[in-house]
C-alpha cells in the first residue's frame, strides 16, 4: 500500500510561510515521491496554498464542523474546506479532544460531514501516558476507534492516525514494538468491523516523527504513513520524512 505522509501545521503559519510549500512543490515536482503527500495548514492558508502548489501534493484542514453551514460563529464546515482546495481533514486530534472536549460521537459526526463534502477523514486516536502506564493503550484506542468511526464509514476516504498523546510534541516516541502492537490491534479491529475493506485502510503513526526516526517507524508492520507536526513546518525536514517512506 502506498503510504501517506501528512503534515499538521496546527496554529502555525502565515502567508510568509507559503514559501515552504513552494519549496516542497518544486522538490516534489523534480523528484516525484513514493508516498502520497498532504499538508494541513491553518484554514486561512488553504486557498493561497492551493494556488501556490499547482496540484503537486494535497491540502487538508485540521478540523471541521459537523453542519454544512449555519449560525456557528468561528467554525468552518467541510464544504468550506473543500471549496478552499482541501481534499482531506484531520479529525479528533488529541488537542481538539483535550482543549475543546471533543467526544468520540462529535468526531464521528465530523467524519460524516467530511464524507458528505467529499473529503478524506483522518481520524486520530491515542492513549495518554497514564493510560499506557495502566496497561490500557489497546482498549483506549479500540474504544476511540469504535466511537469515532461510524459503522457506515466511507472506507475509500478514511485513514486512521494512531497518535499517543504523550508522544505529540515531546520528542518521545513509543518503541517500534509498541507501535507494531497498537497498529496490529487497530488493524484487527478494522478487519472485524469492516471485513476486507479494513485491510486496505491506512493507519498512520503520529507523535514526534522526525527525519532521524522516520525510516524505522515507517517500516513497522501495519504503519501506512505518518502524521507529522513540528517536522512538517520546514520543507527540508518534511522532504526527508517523505523520502524515508518505503516504496509501495
Ligand atoms: C501532531 O500534532 O499530530 C503531531 C504528531 O505533532 P508532532 O509531530 O510535533 O509530535
Amino acid at each position: 500500500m502506498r503510504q501517506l505522509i501528512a503534515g499538521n501545521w496546527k496554529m502555525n503559519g502565515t502567508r510568509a510561510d507559503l514559501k515552504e510549500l513552494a519549496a516542497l512543490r518544486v522538490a516534489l515536482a523534480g523528484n516525484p515521491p513514493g508516498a502520497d503527500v498532504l499538508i494541513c495548514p491553518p484554514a486561512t492558508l488553504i486557498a493561497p496554498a492551493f494556488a501556490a502548489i499547482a496540484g503537486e501534493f494535497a491540502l487538508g484542514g485540521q478540523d471541521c464542523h459537523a453542519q454544512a453551514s449555519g449560525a456557528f460563529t468561528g467554525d468552518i464546515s467541510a464544504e468550506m474546506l473543500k471549496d478552499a482546495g482541501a481534499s482531506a481533514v484531520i479529525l479528533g486530534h488529541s488537542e481538539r479532544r483535550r482543549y475543546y472536549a471533543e467526544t468520540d460521537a462529535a468526531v464521528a459526526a465530523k467524519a460524516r460531514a467530511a464524507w458528505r463534502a467529499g473529503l478524506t477523514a483522518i481520524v486520530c486516536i491515542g492513549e495518554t501516558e497514564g493510560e499506557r502506564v495502566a496497561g490500557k493503550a489497546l482498549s483506549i484506542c479500540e474504544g476511540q476507534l469504535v466511537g469515532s468511526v461510524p459503522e457506515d464509514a466511507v472506507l475509500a476516504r478514511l485513514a486512521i492516525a494512531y497518535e499517543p498523546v504523550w508522544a505529540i510534541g515531546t520528542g518521545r516516541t513509543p518503541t517500534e514494538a509498541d507501535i507494531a502492537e497498537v497498529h496490529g490491534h487497530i488493524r484487527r479491529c478494522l478487519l472485524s468491523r469492516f471485513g476486507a475493506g479494513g485491510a486496505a485502510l491506512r493507519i498512520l503513526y503520529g507523535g514526534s516523527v522526525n527525519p532521524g526516526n522516520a525510516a524505522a517507524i515507517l517500516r513497522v508492520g501495519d504503519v501506512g504513513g505518518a502524521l507529522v507536526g513540528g517536522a512538517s513546518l520546514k520543507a527540508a525536514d518534511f522532504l526527508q520524512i517523505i523520502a524515508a517512506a518505503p516504496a509501495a
Side-chain angles (χ1 to χ4, degrees):
M1 153 189 334
R2 194 171 157 91
Q3 295 204 343
L4 170 63
I5 308 298
N8 173 15
W9 277 21
K10 311 194 186 194
M11 197 172 73
N12 297 295
T14 61
R15 280 180 294 173
D17 298 294
L18 292 172
K19 65 180 186 312
E20 296 299 329
L21 299 186
L24 203 53
R25 170 179 60 82
V26 170
L28 294 178
N31 187 13
D36 294 336
V37 177
L38 170 73
I39 289 277
C40 300
T44 50
L45 291 184
I46 293 174
F50 187 75
I53 66 171
E56 208 58 58
F57 54 92
L59 295 167
Q62 300 174 12
D63 178 44
C64 70
H65 196 278
Q67 302 293 321
S69 62
F72 301 103
T73 301
D75 275 314
I76 295 174
S77 71
E79 282 77 2
M80 291 169 179
L81 293 174
K82 176 90 173 171
D83 181 58
S87 57
V89 60
I90 298 168
L91 297 174
H93 190 281
S94 63
E95 289 151 14
R96 302 288 318 172
R97 293 178 186 265
R98 178 174 174 199
Y99 300 129
Y100 303 94
E102 277 192 13
T103 61
D104 290 338
V107 176
K110 291 177 179 203
R112 284 204 177 85
W115 296 323
R116 182 189 65 219
L119 299 178
T120 291
I122 301 174
V123 175
C124 302
I125 59 175
E127 82 285 356
T128 64
E129 184 156 33
E131 289 163 345
R132 172 156 285 275
V133 169
K136 295 181 181 165
L138 298 185
S139 61
I140 291 292
C141 289
E142 182 171 346
Q144 290 180 352
L145 188 67
V146 169
S148 305
V149 177
E151 271 319 312
D152 55 349
V154 178
L155 299 181
R157 291 204 302 272
L158 171 66
I160 307 299
Y162 166 56
E163 297 207 302
V165 179
W166 53 272
I168 294 178
T170 61
R172 298 165 58 205
T173 53
T175 64
E176 289 160 35
D178 287 341
I179 295 174
E181 182 185 35
V182 178
H183 279 241
H185 189 69
I186 293 170
R187 178 70 68 204
R188 283 189 293 281
C189 293
L190 292 170
L191 287 171
S192 83
R193 204 142 168 243
F194 300 118
L201 289 173
R202 290 191 281 207
I203 308 170
L204 314 184
Y205 168 78
S208 295
V209 175
N210 61 47
N213 62 21
I217 289 173
L218 292 171
R219 278 165 182 74
V220 172
D222 276 313
V223 169
L227 182 52
V228 184
S232 71
L233 292 171
K234 295 291 173 208
D237 292 339
F238 198 54
L239 281 164
Q240 289 183 62
I241 296 172
I242 295 166

